[in-house]
Amino acid sequence: MKNSVIILAGGQGKRMKIDKPKVLCEVLGQPMLEWVIKACESAGETNICIVRGFAGHFITNYLNGRYPTVLQRDRLGTGHAVMQAVDFLRENSDSNALILCGDAPFIDKETIEGALKLHTQKNRSVTVVTSVVDNPTGYGRIVRNENGISAIVEEKDCDDSQRNIREINSGCYWFKTKDLLDVLFEITPDNAQGEYYLTDCIGLLIKRGKTADAYISENENVSLGANDRKSLLRLNTIAREKNINKHLDNGIEFTCTDGVIIGNDVEIGAGSVINAGCVLTGNTKIGNGCVVGPNTCLNDTVVGRDCILNNVQANQTEIGSGVKIGPWVNLRPGTKIANNAKIGDFVEIKNSVIGDSTSVAHLTYIGDSDVGENVNFGCGVVTVNYNGDKKFRTKIGDNAFIGCNTNLIAPVSVGSCAYTAAGSTITKDIPDGALAIERGSAAIKEGYADRMLKNRVEKFNAKKEQEAEKAKAEKE
């Protein structure tokens, strides 16, 4: 039988001042719920059910069928939340059940596995994941005895001596599923909050002669959650500093960490330099010897070796080795840039392939295009890929030269070693080695602009007169 995992994700988080569940608030670009899910998956625990509550459709939409959910219509405490998943628990009643909080993102693989090992080796009915902190305010206290623990007392129910206890409940538990089911519906809301506490199950199990224990996590942040924007910022700060320190230990150079945010799954090769203002998220991978930034944002982007990326925005992009990009470049999803290419300032590329050693110097848009090797783009080139209804592709062969201010009206192809004259609007395919000039004849109509702009000019002049009169009156 496989273990069951229940993630409690029903909290509203009123102090967050949002209209979606608190667990979808992000730490380093990922919802807190996703952090918890990934920790479970890394520990091999994939039989997961999420308990949703306030605005639960947001969670359903976010999960998109990855894991089942159950609805907690009335938020009456952690025990009540677990009750909603009773059918899920019964499916594997002979195994163990892991209960976690969806807004405590720093739970980790080592803690999950270590607590389960203690739980099974000592044959406990329940094992609580705990941490020892300097300031336990706001957390349930762990009351120990010679056989493990005797109780978990919530903050509002603590007496004076219990408030001095520094070992706190993280909100993460391993239960023997059968034992949990035996007592789950016996708990009552007889407490200061008027809620069904999951922790009361521990007292009931102990009364029945069962044993409970606590696993002290080596992760000092395992208990941390977020109830407001200040605490969410604290989580982001902790995670941000932890990831930067990890990369420092791996030999990555940071010239300045101001504004630097690096996601958990980002990989950076040895000898690379990260400058100020860089945001690296998703499954971004950066090769050895790169210089990234300043002010570069990469999401789900793969970068080869020895690249320079200055003021670049890239999303779902593949970049080869020896590539120079920036400043002020936007690389949109589906873009692939081959080795040794150069992408200059104010360039946008979308869903296109850029060949080896191709140069896109500046002020250019390339969309839905297949560009060969050693192509040169002049200033102001546009591949016109959209006609208002459908999008079409442009194909450019190796060694082509695209003159300044050329418009390539897709679908169109430019042959190898072909040349377009500056200012051309290309509507026909160009053969290999050919020059294309498509400018049209100049037509000058005297007086046309005067007539067309008459009303506009008159309004502007009248406005200037009014402003002058007003200024004169104020001066007098």
Side-chain angles (χ1 to χ4, degrees):
M1 300 288 285
K2 54 188 175 182
N3 295 325
S4 302
V5 178
I6 295 176
I7 301 176
L8 309 183
Q12 179 175 354
K14 291 181 180 180
R15 284 176 285 176
M16 292 289 188
K17 294 180 171 56
I18 53 173
D19 60 357
K20 62 182 181 180
K22 178 174 62 172
V23 297
L24 294 183
C25 290
E26 295 185 348
V27 174
L28 295 189
Q30 285 189 339
M32 291 187 286
L33 175 61
E34 189 64 33
W35 284 65
V36 178
I37 290 173
K38 285 187 174 181
C40 295
E41 291 174 341
S42 65
E45 303 296 341
T46 58
N47 183 35
I48 299 172
C49 177
I50 289 91
V51 181
R52 55 189 172 88
F54 169 77
H57 62 283
F58 283 103
I59 290 177
T60 303
N61 293 339
Y62 174 75
L63 292 170
N64 195 28
R66 277 193 294 164
Y67 293 108
T69 68
V70 294
L71 177 62
Q72 184 188 17
R73 294 188 183 277
D74 301 309
R75 292 179 297 282
L76 301 176
T78 53
H80 181 261
V82 174
M83 291 176 187
Q84 312 314 303
V86 64
D87 291 338
F88 173 76
L89 290 171
R90 285 170 178 160
E91 291 175 2
N92 294 280
S93 59
D94 291 335
S95 62
N96 296 295
L98 174 64
I99 315 294
L100 306 116
C101 295
D103 62 346
F106 296 150
I107 186 68
D108 58 88
K109 171 180 181 287
E110 292 74 19
T111 296
I112 292 172
E113 292 177 340
L116 178 60
K117 183 178 180 180
L118 174 68
H119 180 68
T120 54
Q121 285 184 346
K122 291 193 173 182
N123 194 29
R124 301 304 196 191
S125 281
V126 57
T127 299
V128 185
V129 173
T130 67
S131 60
V132 178
V133 297
D134 292 332
N135 181 10
T137 302
Y139 292 92
R141 308 304 201 274
I142 302 300
V143 181
R144 285 186 174 268
N145 59 23
E146 63 277 5
N147 296 319
I149 64 174
S150 59
I152 301 177
V153 184
E154 298 297 330
E155 166 85 16
K156 293 185 179 181
D157 300 311
C158 285
D159 59 31
D160 291 340
S161 63
Q162 291 167 339
R163 285 194 179 89
N164 292 325
I165 297 173
R166 293 174 51 238
E167 185 178 4
I168 63 171
N169 177 19
S170 71
C172 173
Y173 315 85
W174 276 107
F175 283 92
K176 282 186 179 179
T177 306
K178 185 177 182 302
D179 290 347
L180 173 61
L181 290 170
D182 285 344
V183 299
L184 181 60
F185 288 91
E186 294 183 15
I187 59 178
T188 65
D190 185 18
N191 51 62
Q193 290 285 84
E195 294 182 350
Y196 295 87
Y197 292 156
L198 181 62
T199 50
D200 287 348
C201 290
I202 296 171
L204 291 173
L205 289 171
I206 292 172
K207 286 181 179 179
R208 295 189 177 189
K210 306 291 185 178
T211 54
D213 215 326
Y215 174 83
I216 301 177
S217 175
E218 295 182 5
N219 176 358
E220 62 182 1
N221 298 318
V222 71
S223 303
L224 293 181
N227 290 316
D228 54 26
R229 290 295 180 178
K230 290 181 180 178
S231 54
L232 183 64
L233 175 60
R234 181 189 178 198
L235 296 184
N236 273 279
T237 300
I238 291 169
R240 171 181 171 273
E241 292 177 351
K242 178 182 177 183
N243 283 351
I244 289 174
N245 287 331
K246 177 184 72 174
H247 290 291
L248 284 168
D249 290 340
N250 291 335
I252 308 306
E253 178 181 346
F254 291 84
T255 57
C256 175
T257 59
D258 290 351
V260 174
I261 298 173
I262 302 177
N264 284 344
D265 300 322
V266 172
E267 299 176 12
I268 305 175
S272 288
V273 178
I274 308 299
N275 289 301
C278 289
V279 179
L280 313 177
T281 56
N283 292 312
T284 292
K285 294 177 175 57
I286 298 170
N288 295 350
C290 293
V291 178
V292 181
N295 305 320
T296 291
C297 298
L298 307 179
N299 178 60
D300 291 334
T301 291
V302 177
V303 181
R305 300 173 58 97
D306 303 316
C307 292
I308 299 174
L309 280 66
N310 176 14
N311 280 266
V312 176
Q313 301 266 342
N315 185 27
Q316 298 176 29
T317 292
E318 296 180 21
I319 299 170
S321 295
V323 176
K324 296 181 179 180
I325 305 179
W328 304 295
V329 170
N330 184 14
L331 305 178
R332 293 166 57 189
T335 295
K336 297 181 180 180
I337 299 175
N339 298 340
N340 305 308
K342 179 182 177 182
I343 312 298
D345 52 300
F346 300 106
V347 171
E348 179 175 349
I349 302 175
K350 169 249 179 185
N351 190 31
S352 297
V353 177
I354 307 299
D356 192 296
S357 300
T358 284
S359 175
V360 187
H362 39 212
L363 297 166
T364 290
Y365 170 72
I366 300 176
D368 300 308
S369 300
D370 300 297
V371 181
E373 299 179 351
N374 196 36
V375 175
N376 186 85
F377 285 81
C379 176
V381 174
V382 175
T383 61
V384 185
N385 58 323
Y386 184 49
N387 67 359
D389 179 36
K390 296 180 180 179
K391 295 183 179 180
F392 302 92
R393 293 193 75 81
T394 294
K395 183 177 181 180
I396 301 173
D398 296 342
N399 304 302
F401 187 98
I402 311 300
C404 292
N405 297 315
T406 294
N407 294 314
L408 298 170
I409 311 300
V412 70
S413 64
V414 178
S416 298
C417 298
Y419 200 116
T420 70
S424 292
T425 296
I426 305 298
T427 59
K428 298 178 181 179
D429 292 347
I430 305 173
D432 294 350
L435 166 65
I437 306 174
E438 194 172 351
R439 294 171 178 162
S441 300
I444 299 175
K445 298 182 179 181
E446 296 288 348
Y448 178 86
D450 286 342
R451 294 192 301 274
M452 291 298 294
L453 299 177
K454 181 180 178 180
N455 290 337
R456 182 169 178 268
V457 172
E458 288 177 350
K459 288 180 180 179
F460 176 73
N461 289 335
K463 182 180 178 182
K464 286 185 68 176
E465 290 177 4
Q466 291 174 358
E467 290 174 349
E469 291 175 0
K470 182 179 178 181
K472 182 179 179 181
E474 290 175 350
K475 186 175 181 180
E476 293 175 349

